[in-house]
């Protein structure tokens, strides 16, 4: 498998985990399945945006690159989960 595919898989899994963890911590939730799916999509989107910003030279399978992919996937999955939760469940003041 190419390193790009492996990086995308890492970002999707990290996004799903990040979306679930952040939803559980902050109560911005759409249910476990919704948080997982939105987090995975957020991880993939965040990874593609990041790869577009740094170019093709940023990917690899060394420990630094893998940890960076995990961090990007988890953060972008959490961010998209919060936005989707707020969109579907607006806060009433």
């Amino acid at each position: 498998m190419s390193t790009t595919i492996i990086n995308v898989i890492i970002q999707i899994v990290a996004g799903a985990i990040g979306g679930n963890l952040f939803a559980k911590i902050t109560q911005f939730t759409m249910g476990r399945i919704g948080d997982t799916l939105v987090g995975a999509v957020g991880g993939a989107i965040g990874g593609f945006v990041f790869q577009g910003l740094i170019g093709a030279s940023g990917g690899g399978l060394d420990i630094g690159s893998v940890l960076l992919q995990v961090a990007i996937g988890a953060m972008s999955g959490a961010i998209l989960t919060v936005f989707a939760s707020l969109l579907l469940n607006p806060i009433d003041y």
Side-chain angles (χ1 to χ4, degrees):
M1 279 200 328
S2 122
T3 57
T4 304
I5 294 172
I6 294 172
N7 286 337
V8 171
I9 292 170
I10 290 170
Q11 293 159 354
I12 289 171
V13 171
I17 293 170
N20 274 305
L21 286 177
F22 200 75
K24 190 153 190 91
I25 291 170
T26 62
Q27 302 301 317
F28 288 110
T29 185
M30 299 170 290
R32 183 167 289 183
I33 294 173
D35 296 337
T36 301
L37 291 175
V38 171
V41 169
I45 291 171
F48 284 126
V49 168
F50 183 74
Q51 287 294 332
L53 291 175
I54 64 166
S57 63
L61 292 180
D62 58 289
I63 190 69
S65 293
V66 170
L67 290 176
L68 182 63
Q69 299 300 326
V70 168
I72 290 167
M75 286 187 296
S76 57
I79 290 168
L80 189 61
T81 301
V82 168
F83 284 138
S85 175
L86 287 173
L87 185 65
L88 295 175
N89 305 317
I91 299 174
D92 293 327
Y93 290 105

